[in-house]
């Protein structure tokens, strides 16, 4: 019985480690989940404000808080709310809601929760009856009050909005993310991608990519529920970069028993950069003060800039990286994973466009890339000619010998060939728990 009581005490302590049940809980604008129904919104942590677009249902994820413990929401505004019909909605786990409206000129707003419920999310929005276009609210504080408050305020733990939903796709539903790469570590699969959301936040009319200087991190242990680990702020880690797109990651055990994670990325369309860490979620550092390789390299200079890296470690422990632009290249890396053991070598890459990736499968190097938009004539590589802008693969057991590579085929057609919008592809193949997944 003593052991059982001790176990219950430990479990209770673990559950309540972030805040006591009678402490109030603070919410922050940086933790607002951006909904895309109304084209989202934007947080500004410096001014503690959030700009809400019309019809967007941006919300705080507050799963699993009992309204028998927490009974109301208190908001204070740094400046009076200068709008009509701004709605605050509390959603409970059973799908019911409690709604209220912030009045024009308000400096505070309170909402009482319904009793005997489990809180799921809190939404602030404005619709047809509110002002036209975006609005900005400047918060002083947003606090979930406990019935028997101690007067202390803790922080609400940030949770993935997909955690526990039973949904497998999309794997990230609140942030634009592209060009995935993945790695397994201690039973979890970590996925990294281009933070296209950053370009969206810059307010450009289209995704012109130059504002993207961070990468997204998420992970899973069941390929269904995903945890969001935040952003890698590449421009803060490596201030010399132009941008950061299309990552590829590998890891290698070190002599001291640690694991070195090496994350390669497109430094804009000009070169390939690299950052490294001893954990899959950082902290990350820049081992170089420039790109690993770029258009100034005399070997690749004739083919223009190089980008879209794809890296792998083979069964011998050797590390390799591919990259290219209208021409694919491969190079073997030194054990430090941020320098070349020898000059890059050209890959046979017919009608090459972008999206280089490299895998090592059953003793064979498998190089994939996205081909260009032409009609691919003349086609002299054997097999069936691939359609325009589709994913193809080449195979070799001796990657530095050009004539060892053979064409494998087309494995992923352009979305436009399947009734969707025409666009280029950037796929990643990864094995996890003895199954192959295509991202």
């Amino acid at each position: 019985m003593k052991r059982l009581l001790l176990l219950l005490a430990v479990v209770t302590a673990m559950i309540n480690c972030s805040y006591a049940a009678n402490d109030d809980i603070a919410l922050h604008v940086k933790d607002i989940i951006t909904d895309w129904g109304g084209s989202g919104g934007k947080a500004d942590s410096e001014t503690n404000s959030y700009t809400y677009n019309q019809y967007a249902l941006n919300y705080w994820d507050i799963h699993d808080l009992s309204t028998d413990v927490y009974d109301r929401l208190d908001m204070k505004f740094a400046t009076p709310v200068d709008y009509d019909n701004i709605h605050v909605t509390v959603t409970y786990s059973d799908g019911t809601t409690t709604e209220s409206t912030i009045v024009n000129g308000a400096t505070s707003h309170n909402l009482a929760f319904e009793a005997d419920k489990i809180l799921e999310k809190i939404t602030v929005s404005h619709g047809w009856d509110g002002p036209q276009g975006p609005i900005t609210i400047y918060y002083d504080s947003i606090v979930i009050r406990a019935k028997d408050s101690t007067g202390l305020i803790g922080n609400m733990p940030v949770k993935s909005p997909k955690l526990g939903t039973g949904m497998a796709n999309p794997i990230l539903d609140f942030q634009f993310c592209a060009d995935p790469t993945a790695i397994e570590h201690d039973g979890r699969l970590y996925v990294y991608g281009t933070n296209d959301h950053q370009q969206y936040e810059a307010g450009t009319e289209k995704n012109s990519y130059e504002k993207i200087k961070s990468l997204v991190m998420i992970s899973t242990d069941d390929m269904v529920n995903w945890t969001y680990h935040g952003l890698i702020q590449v421009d803060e880690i490596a201030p010399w970069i132009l941008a950061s797109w299309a990552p590829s990651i590998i890891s290698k055990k070190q002599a001291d028993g640690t694991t070195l994670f090496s994350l390669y990325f497109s430094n804009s369309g000009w070169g390939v950069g690299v950052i490294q860490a001893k954990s899959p979620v950082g902290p990350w550092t820049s081992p170089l003060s420039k790109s690993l390789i770029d258009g100034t390299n005399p070997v690749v200079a004739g083919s223009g800039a190089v980008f879209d890296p794809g890296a792998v470690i083979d069964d011998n422990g050797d590390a390799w990286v591919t990259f290219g632009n209208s021409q694919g290249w491969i190079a073997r890396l030194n054990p430090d994973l941020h320098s070349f053991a020898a000059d890059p070598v050209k890959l046979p890459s017919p009608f090459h466009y972008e999206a280089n990736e490299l895998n090592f499968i059953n003793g064979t190097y498998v190089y994939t890339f996205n081909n260009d938009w032409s009609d691919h004539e003349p086609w002299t590589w054997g097999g069936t000619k691939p359609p325009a802008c589709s994913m193809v693969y080449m195979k070799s057991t001796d990657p530095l010998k050009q004539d060892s590579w053979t064409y494998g085929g087309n494995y992923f057609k352009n979305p436009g060939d399947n009734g969707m919008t025409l666009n280029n592809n950037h796929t990643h193949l990864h094995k996890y728990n003895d199954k192959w997944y295509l991202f």
Side-chain angles (χ1 to χ4, degrees):
M1 178 60 72
K2 288 183 178 179
R3 288 182 179 178
L4 178 59
L5 290 175
L6 177 60
L7 177 61
L8 289 173
V10 170
V11 170
T12 302
M14 291 174 64
I15 293 173
N16 295 323
C17 63
S18 56
Y19 50 88
N22 55 353
D23 289 351
D24 300 331
I25 300 174
L27 303 178
H28 302 277
V29 294
K30 67 180 178 61
D31 297 327
I32 294 175
I33 307 298
T34 302
D35 168 79
W36 299 109
S39 299
K42 184 177 181 180
D44 185 340
S45 295
E46 291 187 6
T47 60
N48 202 33
S49 66
Y50 197 90
T51 299
Y52 297 86
N53 285 346
Q54 195 169 20
Y55 306 116
L57 301 175
N58 304 330
Y59 63 94
W60 285 282
D61 184 348
I62 52 169
H63 277 85
D64 305 329
L65 295 183
S66 171
T67 60
D68 292 335
V69 178
Y70 301 96
D71 64 352
R72 69 189 188 279
L73 174 72
D74 286 349
M75 291 180 167
K76 292 183 179 179
F77 307 114
T79 61
V81 175
D82 191 24
Y83 310 103
D84 289 306
N85 296 320
I86 308 305
H87 305 293
V88 181
T89 304
V90 174
T91 302
Y92 307 106
S93 61
D94 61 3
T96 60
T97 60
T98 298
E99 300 182 10
S100 62
T101 301
I102 302 174
V103 300
N104 194 318
T107 57
S108 64
H109 183 75
N110 309 103
L111 184 151
F113 303 144
E114 187 177 338
D116 196 27
K117 298 280 189 178
I118 301 297
L119 294 166
E120 184 175 85
K121 63 182 180 180
I122 294 174
T123 304
V124 178
S125 63
H126 69 103
W128 63 270
D129 58 347
Q132 296 296 310
I135 65 166
T136 300
I137 296 179
Y138 294 87
Y139 293 97
D140 180 29
S141 61
I142 313 107
V143 180
I144 298 174
R145 298 291 182 187
K147 281 186 177 181
D148 301 315
S149 173
T150 62
L152 299 175
I153 297 180
N155 291 326
M156 183 69 200
V158 179
K159 296 173 65 176
S160 166
K162 292 190 67 61
L163 189 63
T165 64
M167 296 169 58
N169 277 306
I171 63 175
L172 191 64
D173 61 356
F174 63 91
Q175 188 157 5
F176 292 134
C177 180
D179 311 330
T181 185
I183 196 165
E184 186 176 354
H185 179 67
D186 287 346
R188 279 191 86 78
L189 186 71
Y190 293 83
V191 177
Y192 310 78
T194 305
N195 183 20
D196 281 9
H197 190 85
Q198 192 170 14
Q199 189 77 33
Y200 167 81
E201 289 179 331
T204 54
E205 292 186 3
K206 63 179 182 179
N207 193 350
S208 47
Y209 312 110
E210 80 282 353
K211 301 294 186 182
I212 302 173
K213 301 186 180 187
S214 59
L215 300 169
V216 179
M217 297 183 289
I218 56 177
S219 73
T220 183
D221 61 4
D222 62 6
M223 298 303 295
V224 175
N225 297 296
W226 294 82
T227 298
Y228 174 61
H229 294 286
L231 303 177
I232 304 172
Q233 300 291 352
V234 182
D235 60 337
E236 296 178 7
I237 300 161
W240 47 268
I241 70 162
L242 299 171
S244 56
W245 316 327
S248 184
I249 189 167
I250 55 176
S251 67
K252 189 172 184 179
K253 286 284 187 181
Q254 304 296 290
D256 62 1
T258 61
T259 300
L260 177 64
F261 296 84
S262 198
L263 185 61
Y264 307 89
F265 60 91
S266 295
N267 181 19
S268 185
W270 174 239
V272 172
V274 57
I275 55 176
Q276 295 180 313
K278 291 296 185 74
S279 159
V281 293
W284 300 90
T285 60
S286 176
L288 304 173
S289 58
K290 60 180 182 179
S291 295
L292 171 64
I293 188 170
D294 59 32
T296 64
N297 183 285
V299 176
V300 304
S303 64
V306 291
F307 56 87
D308 285 0
V312 76
I313 293 183
D314 63 24
D315 288 349
N316 296 322
D318 290 328
W320 305 83
V321 63
T322 56
F323 43 83
N325 174 25
S326 73
Q327 168 63 59
W329 296 83
I330 187 169
R332 187 160 59 88
L333 294 160
N334 284 316
D336 62 15
L337 303 184
H338 62 254
S339 62
F340 292 145
D343 286 337
V345 172
K346 281 186 178 182
L347 284 166
S349 47
F351 301 96
H352 185 280
Y353 184 49
E354 62 174 3
N356 309 277
E357 196 58 76
L358 190 64
N359 285 281
F360 187 76
I361 303 172
N362 297 329
T364 299
Y365 299 86
V366 181
Y367 169 58
T368 65
F369 62 94
N370 189 208
N371 57 39
D372 65 21
W373 291 93
S374 73
D375 61 7
H376 301 161
E377 291 289 353
W379 182 256
T380 60
W381 295 90
T384 303
K385 181 184 72 171
C389 201
S390 60
M391 296 299 300
V392 297
Y393 69 101
M394 310 287 291
K395 300 181 295 181
S396 172
T397 56
D398 196 351
L400 296 180
K401 289 186 177 180
Q402 284 189 330
D403 59 5
S404 71
W405 289 92
T406 59
Y407 176 69
N410 166 244
Y411 70 91
F412 202 74
K413 293 183 178 180
N414 192 287
D417 292 331
N418 291 300
M420 294 177 280
T421 304
L422 285 167
N423 56 67
N424 57 307
N425 291 309
H426 204 305
T427 64
H428 176 79
L429 186 67
H430 195 90
K431 191 176 185 180
Y432 180 66
N433 285 345
D434 294 324
K435 292 182 179 180
W436 287 95
Y437 294 90
L438 183 67
F439 295 90

